[in-house]
Amino acid sequence: MSLFQKLIHIDRRIIFILIFFGTAVPLLLVLNLPVEVTKNVKNVYKMVEETPEGSPVIISFDYDPSTKPEIQPMAVAIIQQSLRNKLKLICIALWPMGVQLCNEAFEQVLPLFPEVKYGIDYVNLGYKAGGMVTINHMAKDLPSTFPTDAGGIPIDEFPIMKGINNFSKIGFVVGLSAGDPGLKQWVMVVHDAYGRPVAGGSTAVQVPYLLPYVNEQQQLTGLVGGLKGAAEYEKLINQPGFATKGMDAQSVAHLIIILLIVIGNVGFFITKRTK
Amino acid sequence: MALIMERIGIWVGAILTFAIFSFLYRDNPFYKIAEQIFIGISAGYWFIYTIYNILIPNLFTPLLTNFSANLLLLLPALLGILMLCRLIPRIDWVSRYSIALVVGTTAGLFFKRYLQSDVINQMNATMINPFSAPDLAATIGQLILIIGTVTGIIYFFFSKKHEGVFGGTARVGIFFLMISFGAAFGYTVMARISLLIGRLDFLLGDWLGIIKP
């Protein structure tokens, strides 16, 4: 058996070990590989920057712990930027576990903003089942869709919710999405039916399906895709976090995968020719 | 006490992570135990979550606090009960009324939204003048967008045999489809590696304390 034949029949467990160490070692030895900011991520950043101070905005936590490593860094970065720009954050969840992930993100950010108060500067309205039906209902009557916050307190008691009856006063919606219901539903209702700006972050798997909405029609103002997008956002707000730390490991793992694909293809063509 | 519980939680998480990872070597009892624990806990969690976060706030509390004002809620409650009849083979047919309502309303609602967002707005976004773009790169990008969309649609037009100019155009469409499949594969790899990074960060950081937050 030639070297190439051996390589294309390599035991898959060796590949797993290579990927494991290729990911673990860069986490231990920080390489600080450069992260370039792309236009789609910059558009989300710009949208948040250009929204007038004091505007109420919606952040929707439509993911669960299985995709936390990818989306939570985006949530933390976007919340941080929004609070820095004194926006009023109305948080909701179309996925049940989004409620806890929202609380975790705020726990991480709030020590940087001691002046920020619950109910005045931000609120967590909790989870509501229904996906697109829920968003449609919010557009008609938001208070009856979410009569209380996640803790069961009536929303009339929160100054942040005064005068918010639908999407008309909402500066923008950011959907942090790992699937359905998620960002696509926000685009369909909030932008396409009510004309309000929508941007978001998603898992890398979803990016190819969501990118067509970042178009001339601006169905999506911008899109933060996967851990790479989150690292770009951390760079834009100048607060390196988990995503920036993870990008070294991501890059090395990708190099190993590219190398394996090249070896596999070269080996395949060489053995095919020798046959 | 809270600190001890947190440490125990981290150890349980680490052991279960290794049990799941052990499947990469081959199927084994540790993997099966971790899998069964996950399924059991998930089922229990969702059962309780549904009761406390959907049924109680949306149905029981409104009915118990103001029954007459929320009479309409009895209708979805009844449809929900009908759905449960699927569990009894003799009367499982009554669940079809609930399913019919869900299918009908979903189809009606989604038809309008999908037509607007996925057909009309997407078509508008492709009907652009590429030569009005601010720079050469944008012009080339918009030309690729138009060619890719048109040739891709032609590939999926099956009422005419794919031969001659038509077949050649469809072949160009295949190249665009292949590139999009490649991009989707690349993004999927990126997503899976990100999840591995998350787990390794937990093992090396929270569990072993080798990497600092």
Side-chain angles (χ1 to χ4, degrees):
Chain A
M1 199 183 257
S2 73
L3 177 69
F4 276 114
Q5 273 175 323
K6 275 183 194 163
L7 279 174
I8 61 172
H9 292 108
I10 195 169
D11 190 327
R12 64 194 173 96
R13 284 169 287 201
I14 294 171
I15 297 172
F16 295 148
I17 289 170
L18 280 174
I19 298 289
F20 184 87
F21 283 107
T23 313
V25 172
L27 282 175
L28 296 167
L29 315 165
V30 181
L31 305 172
N32 280 330
L33 295 172
V35 174
E36 293 297 323
V37 180
T38 54
K39 194 180 161 203
N40 288 339
V41 177
K42 210 179 273 175
N43 285 347
V44 182
Y45 175 81
K46 256 177 73 184
M47 182 190 76
V48 179
E49 282 296 303
E50 285 166 5
T51 303
E53 198 177 292
S55 302
V57 299
I58 291 177
I59 301 183
S60 185
F61 290 74
D62 310 330
Y63 60 102
D64 62 16
S66 67
T67 48
K68 188 181 164 188
E70 279 190 280
I71 305 184
Q72 194 76 350
M74 300 172 196
V76 169
I78 292 171
I79 290 171
Q80 221 166 308
Q81 187 197 4
S82 303
L83 290 179
R84 205 164 59 188
N85 290 355
K86 300 192 180 347
L87 302 179
K88 306 285 179 190
L89 306 183
I90 300 167
C91 301
I92 71 149
L94 298 178
W95 287 36
M97 301 290 280
V99 185
Q100 284 92 323
L101 292 165
C102 170
N103 290 337
E104 269 184 44
F106 274 96
E107 273 169 30
Q108 200 176 327
V109 173
L110 285 179
L112 301 170
F113 302 91
E115 73 284 4
V116 165
K117 299 249 176 320
Y118 185 77
I120 298 170
D121 302 298
Y122 75 101
V123 69
N124 183 355
L125 298 185
Y127 162 71
K128 189 63 91 175
M132 189 149 77
V133 180
T134 300
I135 304 172
N136 258 320
H137 200 261
M138 284 172 77
K140 288 177 184 116
D141 189 356
L142 200 146
S144 78
T145 319
F146 287 96
T148 65
D149 77 341
I153 302 168
I155 60 164
D156 321 338
E157 292 181 21
F158 300 122
I160 187 176
M161 295 306 295
K162 290 269 179 324
I164 308 287
N165 298 315
N166 48 40
F167 294 133
S168 62
K169 287 185 183 164
I170 298 295
F172 61 77
V173 172
V174 164
L176 300 166
S177 155
D180 193 343
L183 195 46
K184 186 169 171 164
Q185 282 69 30
W186 285 108
V187 170
M188 285 179 161
V189 181
V190 179
H191 180 271
D192 292 349
Y194 294 93
R196 305 303 303 152
V198 177
S202 75
T203 55
V205 173
Q206 271 203 301
V207 171
Y209 308 102
L210 290 170
L211 269 182
Y213 295 101
V214 188
N215 54 30
E216 288 288 306
Q217 296 286 309
Q218 293 212 313
Q219 286 180 284
L220 262 178
T221 305
L223 182 67
V224 185
L227 196 70
K228 165 78 165 58
E232 290 173 37
Y233 215 96
E234 285 177 354
K235 188 178 178 182
L236 281 170
I237 64 161
N238 206 16
Q239 285 282 343
F242 174 78
T244 309
K245 192 171 70 177
M247 275 320 290
D248 287 346
Q250 186 100 49
S251 305
V252 174
H254 283 192
L255 276 177
I256 294 170
I257 291 166
I258 292 168
L259 208 66
L260 289 168
I261 291 172
V262 170
I263 290 171
N265 277 281
V266 170
F268 172 76
F269 285 112
I270 286 177
T271 43
K272 198 175 156 189
R273 209 170 55 179
T274 49
K275 272 181 192 171
Chain B
M1 188 63 188
L3 197 69
I4 294 170
M5 290 309 286
E6 194 186 322
R7 287 312 302 172
I8 291 171
I10 289 171
W11 270 87
V12 171
I15 291 165
L16 288 173
T17 301
F18 281 118
I20 293 288
F21 278 179
S22 69
F23 185 77
L24 295 174
Y25 181 69
R26 67 167 173 230
D27 202 359
N28 64 73
F30 298 110
Y31 170 76
K32 284 209 164 70
I33 290 168
E35 193 185 33
Q36 300 301 334
I37 289 172
F38 177 72
I39 293 167
I41 289 176
S42 295
Y45 180 84
W46 287 117
F47 183 71
I48 296 299
Y49 198 95
T50 308
I51 291 172
Y52 281 93
N53 291 282
I54 298 175
L55 287 177
I56 291 178
N58 296 319
L59 181 67
F60 298 138
T61 307
L63 282 176
L64 290 172
T65 48
N66 194 349
F67 186 79
S68 53
N70 294 300
L71 265 177
L72 207 62
L73 289 179
L74 290 175
L75 196 65
L78 177 72
L79 288 165
I81 293 165
L82 293 185
M83 194 78 109
L84 290 175
C85 291
R86 281 185 76 82
L87 301 170
I88 309 161
R90 208 161 47 84
I91 51 163
D92 66 348
W93 58 271
V94 281
S95 66
R96 288 180 199 158
Y97 292 112
S98 311
I99 294 169
L101 188 93
V102 171
V103 171
T105 49
T106 308
L109 186 71
F110 281 29
F111 176 76
K112 190 181 158 207
R113 293 276 176 252
Y114 275 80
L115 189 70
Q116 175 72 45
S117 301
D118 283 3
V119 181
I120 297 170
N121 283 2
Q122 287 289 314
M123 274 167 62
N124 280 343
T126 318
M127 291 176 194
I128 43 177
N129 177 7
F131 302 104
S132 65
D135 52 55
L136 184 67
T139 302
I140 294 169
Q142 292 187 349
L143 275 171
I144 291 172
L145 175 79
I146 294 167
I147 295 166
T149 308
V150 173
T151 56
I153 291 170
I154 285 175
Y155 172 73
F156 285 105
F157 186 79
F158 301 118
S159 300
K160 184 172 163 37
K161 202 171 180 188
H162 286 187
E163 57 188 11
V165 177
F166 188 77
T169 316
R171 187 167 283 275
V172 175
I174 294 175
F175 284 114
F176 278 99
L177 287 174
M178 290 299 166
I179 291 167
S180 71
F181 294 151
F185 172 74
Y187 272 115
T188 307
V189 169
M190 184 167 136
R192 301 304 173 235
I193 296 293
S194 304
L195 299 184
L196 177 64
I197 291 168
R199 273 301 75 195
L200 288 176
D201 186 64
F202 166 75
L203 290 173
L204 299 173
D206 297 339
W207 185 50
L208 293 177
I210 302 173
I211 47 175
K212 298 285 168 230

